[in-house]
Amino acid sequence: ALEVTAVHSVAGILPPGQPLVDTPPYCAPHHSATMAALVGGGNGLPRPGAVSLAHRGVLFLDEAPEFSGQALDALRQPLESGHVVVARAAGMMRMPARFLLMLAANPCPCGRHGLTGDVCECSPATVRRYQARLSGPLLDRVDVRVHVEAVSRAELTGAGGAAESSASVAARVREARERSAARLQDTPWRLNSEVPGHELRTRWQPFPGALREA
């Protein structure tokens, strides 16, 4: 909370009457955002960007392929290191940027490529160009990819579906974080995402068959 509050204070966006930010931040910039808006910068002394405003929280990029390729690739370094260093003529600033990145993307410009029972109007070359806007090095840093089919009208209006409540999901997440905290108690890390790959492969190897579903 102190780290997040410090960043928001520097950015000048602390909520009125709330000297301490006590909930994880959620930042969802528009796809027209510049590289400076994402990673920080601006004229004069650098200011925190979206990656720092989402520190210890979630950075959600909707319509991810519509962001500029330069801005998207600038996310690679903070995703790897957990901080971002921005240099300008007026000075250099090192800002924290440890966030959970979520990207949402259509499969093609018309959004219907590969969907069951729908016709895509895009040529194969157009689909390839659109999907290539998310570079390989950036996607290498994305751990989970989920293909989502369109929801039918019957599923949307049907009562009593198989969906879980938010409360049950939150309880399961809380239990997982408690197990993670116990496992990392005597280490310099707090979350699985902070643990270097070498440590994961040598100290905490998964049980045989545990990764089969993944």
Side-chain angles (χ1 to χ4, degrees):
L2 291 174
E3 292 175 6
V4 173
T5 299
V7 173
H8 285 229
S9 177
V10 168
I13 58 172
L14 272 181
Q18 186 179 350
L20 182 71
V21 179
D22 56 3
T23 56
Y26 174 82
C27 192
H30 189 261
H31 59 74
S32 61
T34 63
M35 186 168 69
L38 280 184
V39 299
N43 297 324
L45 194 66
R47 292 173 56 82
V51 296
S52 296
L53 298 178
H55 180 60
R56 300 293 182 188
V58 173
L59 175 63
F60 176 51
L61 303 185
D62 196 13
E63 302 290 352
E66 301 296 341
F67 285 79
S68 77
Q70 187 181 26
L72 289 174
D73 282 337
L75 300 175
R76 289 155 51 182
Q77 184 258 332
L79 280 170
E80 199 74 35
S81 64
H83 66 268
V84 62
V85 178
V86 179
R88 293 292 184 270
M92 181 180 295
M93 185 177 288
R94 182 183 189 274
M95 294 172 281
R98 190 170 294 282
F99 53 90
L100 176 66
L101 175 66
M102 294 181 64
L103 306 170
N106 282 315
C108 67
C110 78
R112 294 193 289 268
H113 177 71
L115 295 183
T116 305
D118 216 336
V119 179
C120 174
E121 301 173 353
C122 307
S123 68
T126 301
V127 174
R128 284 196 301 271
R129 279 197 305 270
Y130 189 79
Q131 295 180 354
R133 293 181 183 178
L134 300 177
S135 69
L138 176 62
L139 292 179
D140 283 345
R141 291 161 172 81
V142 175
D143 298 316
V144 180
R145 302 186 202 178
V146 181
H147 180 75
V148 182
E149 287 280 355
V151 179
S152 68
R153 184 173 299 179
E155 291 170 325
L156 192 62
T157 58
E164 292 182 272
S165 68
S166 296
S168 64
V169 176
R172 195 164 65 247
V173 171
R174 192 178 302 112
E175 291 172 6
R177 289 184 72 113
E178 289 171 355
R179 290 197 303 271
S180 175
R183 181 168 57 248
L184 302 174
Q185 186 172 5
D186 298 322
T187 73
W189 311 296
R190 296 174 58 251
L191 302 171
N192 290 339
S193 61
E194 300 173 4
V195 182
H198 173 73
E199 294 289 339
L200 282 177
R201 290 188 293 271
T202 56
R203 194 189 302 195
W204 291 293
Q205 293 184 353
F207 289 117
L211 295 179
R212 189 174 298 118
E213 289 297 325

